[in-house]
Amino acid sequence: MNKHHEPTGPSDDQQITLRGPAELADALPYLMGFHPNDSVVMVALHGGRGRFGGRLRLGIPQSAHEWPSVAEQLAECLIKGSERRGGRPDAIVVFLCQDPAEGESGRQTMERLRPFAQRLRTACGALDVPVLEALCISGDRFWSYVCPDARCCPAEGNPLAMQGTSVMAAAAAYAGIQVRGSLREMEARLVPRPGTEGREQERALDAAGSALVPKLLDEESRKEVGGTTLELARRLMKRLGRAPAATPSMSDLNDDRLIGDEEAAALILGLQDRETRDRAAEWMEGPEAQSALRLWRALARRCVAPYEEHAAAPLTLAGWVSWSTGDEPAARVALGLALRLDPGYTFAQLLHEACNQGLDPETLRRCLRGERGARTVGRGHGAGRVAGARSVRAQAIVRRRTRPGSGRPGSAPGRRRTARPRVQGRRGTRTGR
């Protein structure tokens, strides 16, 4: 089995031949940019030599009852998305990555997930695209659901290659491709930390909600709140930008200390307004992009219970800035978390789908630049209403949406949202998607 990976880094002309399940398993973190914990990953293959194409990731559904529908949705999403980019896959590789549960061995994990692997193979086959290989990675070992030869794929599995020792690792280092760590570690930078600060932040969010909800329901007051929110965001971005550089973990701690609970609460509530959020999305390039990204991450970490769903806005902004600045792995993680919290969040849906399809973010950047320029010269008083979602549609960034209610990479399959009013009582308001 020979597969050729053409990295998206500095050495696009370099080809790497992967021979067999072992090298495919070793290549997965380099394909994704991180180690995908508790995930199903599907990668499209193109041409007779198996060039890697589109890929998607989704958390493995906990309930086996969801596996048939999720398998169909994932197969359709990857195949149809590849077709929209101009090339139907010739084959697919499937990875199921999950650490053993307590008291469970890696082999038992593999057997437990076998029906899901079979569902995925059947769903792809029903669309006339075969699954060339399906691997389970668990407990630092891997198994093939496809290869029947016990000489190369024994029942006890094969150990993963030592990190950094494979041909793929050497080629990735040469090409400038980095593995950030695990998905779990990347998500930890975007979720609230436990502790007493959570209670203080909750009280600040309660107070901000009581003050801002009535204003967000009035057109004139809403515009005033939007202006105040953006001005506060600009001040905090400058404050963060003046902080000295540090390691990612220390940088996050420093950023959290630099933002007060009341400031964070006002921004979190203000960003629930769609127009305000879309104006904030204009900070997506140049010197302001990094400060904006740090701010959105810090706000996501402040969305403590029962305000978890309010993190969809800052997470989507973090995903957008990451994608805009070329960090696709971080973008997928942030957008996936946003959809896990709110599967119906339209802006995150469209950005995540566009990112997974490998589309160029420059189309949306041009649209946002145009809206900012139009406001600057005083044309079109409704320029702020462009909204990220509508801009994406207008520029045909996403040509076709998956069917309503379908699972999306990074979303929570099987979860159904019912219609709800725009105001959620004292817990704040969420006036746009």
Side-chain angles (χ1 to χ4, degrees), residues 223-253:
K223 293 179 181 178
E224 179 184 345
V225 171
T228 302
T229 299
L230 293 172
E231 182 56 36
L232 174 59
R234 290 188 188 96
R235 292 202 306 271
L236 291 181
M237 286 166 56
K238 290 180 181 178
R239 188 186 303 171
L240 295 175
R242 291 192 297 266
T247 61
S249 58
M250 286 303 300
S251 176
D252 290 347
L253 288 172

PDB file of all heavy atoms in Angstrom, residues 223-253:
ATOM      1  N   LYS A 223     -27.154  49.416  19.179  1.00  0.00           N
ATOM      2  CA  LYS A 223     -26.016  49.997  18.469  1.00  0.00           C
ATOM      3  C   LYS A 223     -25.032  50.634  19.443  1.00  0.00           C
ATOM      4  O   LYS A 223     -23.811  50.541  19.272  1.00  0.00           O
ATOM      5  CB  LYS A 223     -26.511  51.031  17.465  1.00  0.00           C
ATOM      6  CG  LYS A 223     -27.317  50.443  16.318  1.00  0.00           C
ATOM      7  CD  LYS A 223     -27.801  51.527  15.378  1.00  0.00           C
ATOM      8  CE  LYS A 223     -28.628  50.936  14.238  1.00  0.00           C
ATOM      9  NZ  LYS A 223     -29.144  51.995  13.325  1.00  0.00           N
ATOM     10  N   GLU A 224     -25.559  51.268  20.468  1.00  0.00           N
ATOM     11  CA  GLU A 224     -24.689  51.872  21.483  1.00  0.00           C
ATOM     12  C   GLU A 224     -23.887  50.805  22.205  1.00  0.00           C
ATOM     13  O   GLU A 224     -22.675  50.957  22.427  1.00  0.00           O
ATOM     14  CB  GLU A 224     -25.534  52.662  22.474  1.00  0.00           C
ATOM     15  CG  GLU A 224     -24.729  53.318  23.585  1.00  0.00           C
ATOM     16  CD  GLU A 224     -25.605  54.012  24.605  1.00  0.00           C
ATOM     17  OE1 GLU A 224     -26.806  54.233  24.308  1.00  0.00           O
ATOM     18  OE2 GLU A 224     -25.108  54.320  25.697  1.00  0.00           O
ATOM     19  N   VAL A 225     -24.549  49.702  22.571  1.00  0.00           N
ATOM     20  CA  VAL A 225     -23.840  48.600  23.232  1.00  0.00           C
ATOM     21  C   VAL A 225     -22.769  48.024  22.301  1.00  0.00           C
ATOM     22  O   VAL A 225     -21.658  47.710  22.732  1.00  0.00           O
ATOM     23  CB  VAL A 225     -24.833  47.501  23.664  1.00  0.00           C
ATOM     24  CG1 VAL A 225     -24.075  46.259  24.148  1.00  0.00           C
ATOM     25  CG2 VAL A 225     -25.747  48.013  24.765  1.00  0.00           C
ATOM     26  N   GLY A 226     -23.099  47.895  21.011  1.00  0.00           N
ATOM     27  CA  GLY A 226     -22.127  47.378  20.057  1.00  0.00           C
ATOM     28  C   GLY A 226     -20.883  48.251  19.986  1.00  0.00           C
ATOM     29  O   GLY A 226     -19.751  47.740  20.005  1.00  0.00           O
ATOM     30  N   GLY A 227     -21.064  49.563  19.925  1.00  0.00           N
ATOM     31  CA  GLY A 227     -19.920  50.455  19.888  1.00  0.00           C
ATOM     32  C   GLY A 227     -19.083  50.372  21.147  1.00  0.00           C
ATOM     33  O   GLY A 227     -17.844  50.340  21.094  1.00  0.00           O
ATOM     34  N   THR A 228     -19.754  50.310  22.297  1.00  0.00           N
ATOM     35  CA  THR A 228     -19.039  50.194  23.571  1.00  0.00           C
ATOM     36  C   THR A 228     -18.272  48.879  23.650  1.00  0.00           C
ATOM     37  O   THR A 228     -17.135  48.828  24.139  1.00  0.00           O
ATOM     38  CB  THR A 228     -20.032  50.295  24.738  1.00  0.00           C
ATOM     39  OG1 THR A 228     -20.745  51.537  24.656  1.00  0.00           O
ATOM     40  CG2 THR A 228     -19.314  50.209  26.072  1.00  0.00           C
ATOM     41  N   THR A 229     -18.893  47.799  23.164  1.00  0.00           N
ATOM     42  CA  THR A 229     -18.242  46.480  23.183  1.00  0.00           C
ATOM     43  C   THR A 229     -16.980  46.480  22.338  1.00  0.00           C
ATOM     44  O   THR A 229     -15.921  45.989  22.760  1.00  0.00           O
ATOM     45  CB  THR A 229     -19.213  45.409  22.673  1.00  0.00           C
ATOM     46  OG1 THR A 229     -20.368  45.357  23.521  1.00  0.00           O
ATOM     47  CG2 THR A 229     -18.553  44.043  22.635  1.00  0.00           C
ATOM     48  N   LEU A 230     -17.065  47.026  21.146  1.00  0.00           N
ATOM     49  CA  LEU A 230     -15.897  47.040  20.256  1.00  0.00           C
ATOM     50  C   LEU A 230     -14.794  47.929  20.804  1.00  0.00           C
ATOM     51  O   LEU A 230     -13.605  47.598  20.681  1.00  0.00           O
ATOM     52  CB  LEU A 230     -16.327  47.503  18.864  1.00  0.00           C
ATOM     53  CG  LEU A 230     -17.261  46.542  18.116  1.00  0.00           C
ATOM     54  CD1 LEU A 230     -17.792  47.179  16.843  1.00  0.00           C
ATOM     55  CD2 LEU A 230     -16.558  45.233  17.797  1.00  0.00           C
ATOM     56  N   GLU A 231     -15.156  49.045  21.423  1.00  0.00           N
ATOM     57  CA  GLU A 231     -14.139  49.912  22.000  1.00  0.00           C
ATOM     58  C   GLU A 231     -13.434  49.218  23.165  1.00  0.00           C
ATOM     59  O   GLU A 231     -12.200  49.318  23.318  1.00  0.00           O
ATOM     60  CB  GLU A 231     -14.780  51.215  22.467  1.00  0.00           C
ATOM     61  CG  GLU A 231     -13.788  52.218  23.053  1.00  0.00           C
ATOM     62  CD  GLU A 231     -12.665  52.564  22.090  1.00  0.00           C
ATOM     63  OE1 GLU A 231     -12.926  52.646  20.861  1.00  0.00           O
ATOM     64  OE2 GLU A 231     -11.528  52.762  22.563  1.00  0.00           O
ATOM     65  N   LEU A 232     -14.194  48.509  23.992  1.00  0.00           N
ATOM     66  CA  LEU A 232     -13.580  47.757  25.090  1.00  0.00           C
ATOM     67  C   LEU A 232     -12.663  46.669  24.535  1.00  0.00           C
ATOM     68  O   LEU A 232     -11.561  46.449  25.049  1.00  0.00           O
ATOM     69  CB  LEU A 232     -14.667  47.139  25.970  1.00  0.00           C
ATOM     70  CG  LEU A 232     -14.203  46.196  27.083  1.00  0.00           C
ATOM     71  CD1 LEU A 232     -13.245  46.910  28.041  1.00  0.00           C
ATOM     72  CD2 LEU A 232     -15.404  45.628  27.837  1.00  0.00           C
ATOM     73  N   ALA A 233     -13.101  45.989  23.488  1.00  0.00           N
ATOM     74  CA  ALA A 233     -12.259  44.952  22.882  1.00  0.00           C
ATOM     75  C   ALA A 233     -10.951  45.537  22.370  1.00  0.00           C
ATOM     76  O   ALA A 233      -9.875  44.941  22.553  1.00  0.00           O
ATOM     77  CB  ALA A 233     -13.014  44.259  21.748  1.00  0.00           C
ATOM     78  N   ARG A 234     -11.011  46.701  21.748  1.00  0.00           N
ATOM     79  CA  ARG A 234      -9.786  47.339  21.253  1.00  0.00           C
ATOM     80  C   ARG A 234      -8.833  47.663  22.407  1.00  0.00           C
ATOM     81  O   ARG A 234      -7.613  47.460  22.296  1.00  0.00           O
ATOM     82  CB  ARG A 234     -10.129  48.618  20.487  1.00  0.00           C
ATOM     83  CG  ARG A 234     -10.829  48.381  19.155  1.00  0.00           C
ATOM     84  CD  ARG A 234     -10.953  49.685  18.376  1.00  0.00           C
ATOM     85  NE  ARG A 234     -11.788  49.520  17.193  1.00  0.00           N
ATOM     86  CZ  ARG A 234     -13.084  49.809  17.133  1.00  0.00           C
ATOM     87  NH1 ARG A 234     -13.696  50.301  18.224  1.00  0.00           N
ATOM     88  NH2 ARG A 234     -13.759  49.639  16.029  1.00  0.00           N
ATOM     89  N   ARG A 235      -9.373  48.177  23.510  1.00  0.00           N
ATOM     90  CA  ARG A 235      -8.514  48.501  24.658  1.00  0.00           C
ATOM     91  C   ARG A 235      -7.839  47.251  25.211  1.00  0.00           C
ATOM     92  O   ARG A 235      -6.653  47.261  25.540  1.00  0.00           O
ATOM     93  CB  ARG A 235      -9.332  49.189  25.756  1.00  0.00           C
ATOM     94  CG  ARG A 235      -9.825  50.582  25.391  1.00  0.00           C
ATOM     95  CD  ARG A 235     -10.138  51.396  26.646  1.00  0.00           C
ATOM     96  NE  ARG A 235     -11.058  50.707  27.539  1.00  0.00           N
ATOM     97  CZ  ARG A 235     -12.386  50.815  27.470  1.00  0.00           C
ATOM     98  NH1 ARG A 235     -12.938  51.576  26.529  1.00  0.00           N
ATOM     99  NH2 ARG A 235     -13.160  50.191  28.338  1.00  0.00           N
ATOM    100  N   LEU A 236      -8.607  46.168  25.308  1.00  0.00           N
ATOM    101  CA  LEU A 236      -8.035  44.931  25.853  1.00  0.00           C
ATOM    102  C   LEU A 236      -7.015  44.325  24.898  1.00  0.00           C
ATOM    103  O   LEU A 236      -6.009  43.753  25.333  1.00  0.00           O
ATOM    104  CB  LEU A 236      -9.153  43.927  26.141  1.00  0.00           C
ATOM    105  CG  LEU A 236     -10.092  44.300  27.293  1.00  0.00           C
ATOM    106  CD1 LEU A 236     -11.144  43.229  27.497  1.00  0.00           C
ATOM    107  CD2 LEU A 236      -9.316  44.520  28.587  1.00  0.00           C
ATOM    108  N   MET A 237      -7.250  44.444  23.589  1.00  0.00           N
ATOM    109  CA  MET A 237      -6.264  43.956  22.628  1.00  0.00           C
ATOM    110  C   MET A 237      -4.947  44.705  22.779  1.00  0.00           C
ATOM    111  O   MET A 237      -3.862  44.099  22.738  1.00  0.00           O
ATOM    112  CB  MET A 237      -6.814  44.083  21.206  1.00  0.00           C
ATOM    113  CG  MET A 237      -7.884  43.050  20.860  1.00  0.00           C
ATOM    114  SD  MET A 237      -8.799  43.448  19.345  1.00  0.00           S
ATOM    115  CE  MET A 237      -7.456  43.582  18.151  1.00  0.00           C
ATOM    116  N   LYS A 238      -5.005  46.011  22.965  1.00  0.00           N
ATOM    117  CA  LYS A 238      -3.783  46.784  23.170  1.00  0.00           C
ATOM    118  C   LYS A 238      -3.104  46.375  24.468  1.00  0.00           C
ATOM    119  O   LYS A 238      -1.870  46.270  24.541  1.00  0.00           O
ATOM    120  CB  LYS A 238      -4.115  48.276  23.196  1.00  0.00           C
ATOM    121  CG  LYS A 238      -4.540  48.839  21.841  1.00  0.00           C
ATOM    122  CD  LYS A 238      -4.857  50.317  21.938  1.00  0.00           C
ATOM    123  CE  LYS A 238      -5.311  50.875  20.593  1.00  0.00           C
ATOM    124  NZ  LYS A 238      -5.669  52.318  20.688  1.00  0.00           N
ATOM    125  N   ARG A 239      -3.902  46.136  25.508  1.00  0.00           N
ATOM    126  CA  ARG A 239      -3.342  45.720  26.792  1.00  0.00           C
ATOM    127  C   ARG A 239      -2.631  44.378  26.648  1.00  0.00           C
ATOM    128  O   ARG A 239      -1.517  44.189  27.163  1.00  0.00           O
ATOM    129  CB  ARG A 239      -4.457  45.619  27.831  1.00  0.00           C
ATOM    130  CG  ARG A 239      -3.966  45.377  29.254  1.00  0.00           C
ATOM    131  CD  ARG A 239      -5.145  45.148  30.192  1.00  0.00           C
ATOM    132  NE  ARG A 239      -6.094  46.260  30.193  1.00  0.00           N
ATOM    133  CZ  ARG A 239      -7.283  46.227  30.786  1.00  0.00           C
ATOM    134  NH1 ARG A 239      -7.660  45.108  31.419  1.00  0.00           N
ATOM    135  NH2 ARG A 239      -8.082  47.256  30.756  1.00  0.00           N
ATOM    136  N   LEU A 240      -3.259  43.432  25.951  1.00  0.00           N
ATOM    137  CA  LEU A 240      -2.645  42.122  25.752  1.00  0.00           C
ATOM    138  C   LEU A 240      -1.404  42.230  24.876  1.00  0.00           C
ATOM    139  O   LEU A 240      -0.403  41.532  25.097  1.00  0.00           O
ATOM    140  CB  LEU A 240      -3.649  41.163  25.112  1.00  0.00           C
ATOM    141  CG  LEU A 240      -4.876  40.801  25.953  1.00  0.00           C
ATOM    142  CD1 LEU A 240      -5.838  39.946  25.151  1.00  0.00           C
ATOM    143  CD2 LEU A 240      -4.469  40.078  27.232  1.00  0.00           C
ATOM    144  N   GLY A 241      -1.473  43.097  23.870  1.00  0.00           N
ATOM    145  CA  GLY A 241      -0.333  43.237  22.969  1.00  0.00           C
ATOM    146  C   GLY A 241       0.909  43.775  23.657  1.00  0.00           C
ATOM    147  O   GLY A 241       2.037  43.514  23.201  1.00  0.00           O
ATOM    148  N   ARG A 242       0.726  44.530  24.742  1.00  0.00           N
ATOM    149  CA  ARG A 242       1.877  45.066  25.470  1.00  0.00           C
ATOM    150  C   ARG A 242       2.491  44.050  26.424  1.00  0.00           C
ATOM    151  O   ARG A 242       3.588  44.278  26.943  1.00  0.00           O
ATOM    152  CB  ARG A 242       1.469  46.316  26.259  1.00  0.00           C
ATOM    153  CG  ARG A 242       1.131  47.521  25.379  1.00  0.00           C
ATOM    154  CD  ARG A 242       1.037  48.790  26.210  1.00  0.00           C
ATOM    155  NE  ARG A 242      -0.049  48.720  27.183  1.00  0.00           N
ATOM    156  CZ  ARG A 242      -1.276  49.198  26.963  1.00  0.00           C
ATOM    157  NH1 ARG A 242      -1.562  49.760  25.792  1.00  0.00           N
ATOM    158  NH2 ARG A 242      -2.201  49.114  27.893  1.00  0.00           N
ATOM    159  N   ALA A 243       1.810  42.933  26.678  1.00  0.00           N
ATOM    160  CA  ALA A 243       2.328  41.923  27.598  1.00  0.00           C
ATOM    161  C   ALA A 243       3.521  41.209  26.966  1.00  0.00           C
ATOM    162  O   ALA A 243       3.525  40.953  25.762  1.00  0.00           O
ATOM    163  CB  ALA A 243       1.240  40.914  27.949  1.00  0.00           C
ATOM    164  N   PRO A 244       4.541  40.888  27.729  1.00  0.00           N
ATOM    165  CA  PRO A 244       5.724  40.213  27.166  1.00  0.00           C
ATOM    166  C   PRO A 244       5.386  38.810  26.682  1.00  0.00           C
ATOM    167  O   PRO A 244       4.463  38.166  27.179  1.00  0.00           O
ATOM    168  CB  PRO A 244       6.698  40.161  28.355  1.00  0.00           C
ATOM    169  CG  PRO A 244       5.826  40.263  29.574  1.00  0.00           C
ATOM    170  CD  PRO A 244       4.668  41.127  29.176  1.00  0.00           C
ATOM    171  N   ALA A 245       6.144  38.345  25.695  1.00  0.00           N
ATOM    172  CA  ALA A 245       5.932  37.007  25.144  1.00  0.00           C
ATOM    173  C   ALA A 245       6.254  35.951  26.189  1.00  0.00           C
ATOM    174  O   ALA A 245       7.120  36.135  27.045  1.00  0.00           O
ATOM    175  CB  ALA A 245       6.802  36.810  23.908  1.00  0.00           C
ATOM    176  N   ALA A 246       5.539  34.838  26.119  1.00  0.00           N
ATOM    177  CA  ALA A 246       5.753  33.739  27.065  1.00  0.00           C
ATOM    178  C   ALA A 246       5.345  32.441  26.388  1.00  0.00           C
ATOM    179  O   ALA A 246       4.852  32.430  25.252  1.00  0.00           O
ATOM    180  CB  ALA A 246       4.933  33.956  28.347  1.00  0.00           C
ATOM    181  N   THR A 247       5.574  31.322  27.070  1.00  0.00           N
ATOM    182  CA  THR A 247       5.115  30.046  26.545  1.00  0.00           C
ATOM    183  C   THR A 247       3.590  30.053  26.490  1.00  0.00           C
ATOM    184  O   THR A 247       2.939  30.846  27.186  1.00  0.00           O
ATOM    185  CB  THR A 247       5.589  28.899  27.448  1.00  0.00           C
ATOM    186  OG1 THR A 247       5.026  29.087  28.762  1.00  0.00           O
ATOM    187  CG2 THR A 247       7.104  28.869  27.544  1.00  0.00           C
ATOM    188  N   PRO A 248       2.979  29.181  25.659  1.00  0.00           N
ATOM    189  CA  PRO A 248       1.514  29.209  25.534  1.00  0.00           C
ATOM    190  C   PRO A 248       0.780  29.127  26.867  1.00  0.00           C
ATOM    191  O   PRO A 248      -0.151  29.891  27.126  1.00  0.00           O
ATOM    192  CB  PRO A 248       1.225  27.994  24.649  1.00  0.00           C
ATOM    193  CG  PRO A 248       2.442  27.858  23.805  1.00  0.00           C
ATOM    194  CD  PRO A 248       3.590  28.237  24.701  1.00  0.00           C
ATOM    195  N   SER A 249       1.204  28.212  27.753  1.00  0.00           N
ATOM    196  CA  SER A 249       0.492  28.064  29.025  1.00  0.00           C
ATOM    197  C   SER A 249       0.637  29.312  29.888  1.00  0.00           C
ATOM    198  O   SER A 249      -0.335  29.786  30.488  1.00  0.00           O
ATOM    199  CB  SER A 249       1.003  26.828  29.774  1.00  0.00           C
ATOM    200  OG  SER A 249       2.400  26.928  30.006  1.00  0.00           O
ATOM    201  N   MET A 250       1.855  29.862  29.958  1.00  0.00           N
ATOM    202  CA  MET A 250       2.060  31.068  30.747  1.00  0.00           C
ATOM    203  C   MET A 250       1.368  32.266  30.097  1.00  0.00           C
ATOM    204  O   MET A 250       0.836  33.137  30.789  1.00  0.00           O
ATOM    205  CB  MET A 250       3.551  31.350  30.899  1.00  0.00           C
ATOM    206  CG  MET A 250       4.255  30.416  31.866  1.00  0.00           C
ATOM    207  SD  MET A 250       3.503  30.458  33.522  1.00  0.00           S
ATOM    208  CE  MET A 250       3.715  32.198  33.937  1.00  0.00           C
ATOM    209  N   SER A 251       1.361  32.301  28.771  1.00  0.00           N
ATOM    210  CA  SER A 251       0.687  33.396  28.080  1.00  0.00           C
ATOM    211  C   SER A 251      -0.798  33.409  28.406  1.00  0.00           C
ATOM    212  O   SER A 251      -1.387  34.472  28.646  1.00  0.00           O
ATOM    213  CB  SER A 251       0.898  33.271  26.580  1.00  0.00           C
ATOM    214  OG  SER A 251       0.191  34.265  25.876  1.00  0.00           O
ATOM    215  N   ASP A 252      -1.421  32.227  28.425  1.00  0.00           N
ATOM    216  CA  ASP A 252      -2.845  32.148  28.755  1.00  0.00           C
ATOM    217  C   ASP A 252      -3.103  32.639  30.175  1.00  0.00           C
ATOM    218  O   ASP A 252      -4.064  33.387  30.425  1.00  0.00           O
ATOM    219  CB  ASP A 252      -3.344  30.708  28.604  1.00  0.00           C
ATOM    220  CG  ASP A 252      -3.386  30.266  27.151  1.00  0.00           C
ATOM    221  OD1 ASP A 252      -3.269  31.123  26.262  1.00  0.00           O
ATOM    222  OD2 ASP A 252      -3.531  29.054  26.915  1.00  0.00           O
ATOM    223  N   LEU A 253      -2.266  32.239  31.114  1.00  0.00           N
ATOM    224  CA  LEU A 253      -2.431  32.685  32.498  1.00  0.00           C
ATOM    225  C   LEU A 253      -2.273  34.195  32.613  1.00  0.00           C
ATOM    226  O   LEU A 253      -3.044  34.867  33.309  1.00  0.00           O
ATOM    227  CB  LEU A 253      -1.419  31.975  33.400  1.00  0.00           C
ATOM    228  CG  LEU A 253      -1.665  30.487  33.669  1.00  0.00           C
ATOM    229  CD1 LEU A 253      -0.476  29.878  34.403  1.00  0.00           C
ATOM    230  CD2 LEU A 253      -2.944  30.285  34.470  1.00  0.00           C
TER     231      LEU A 253
END
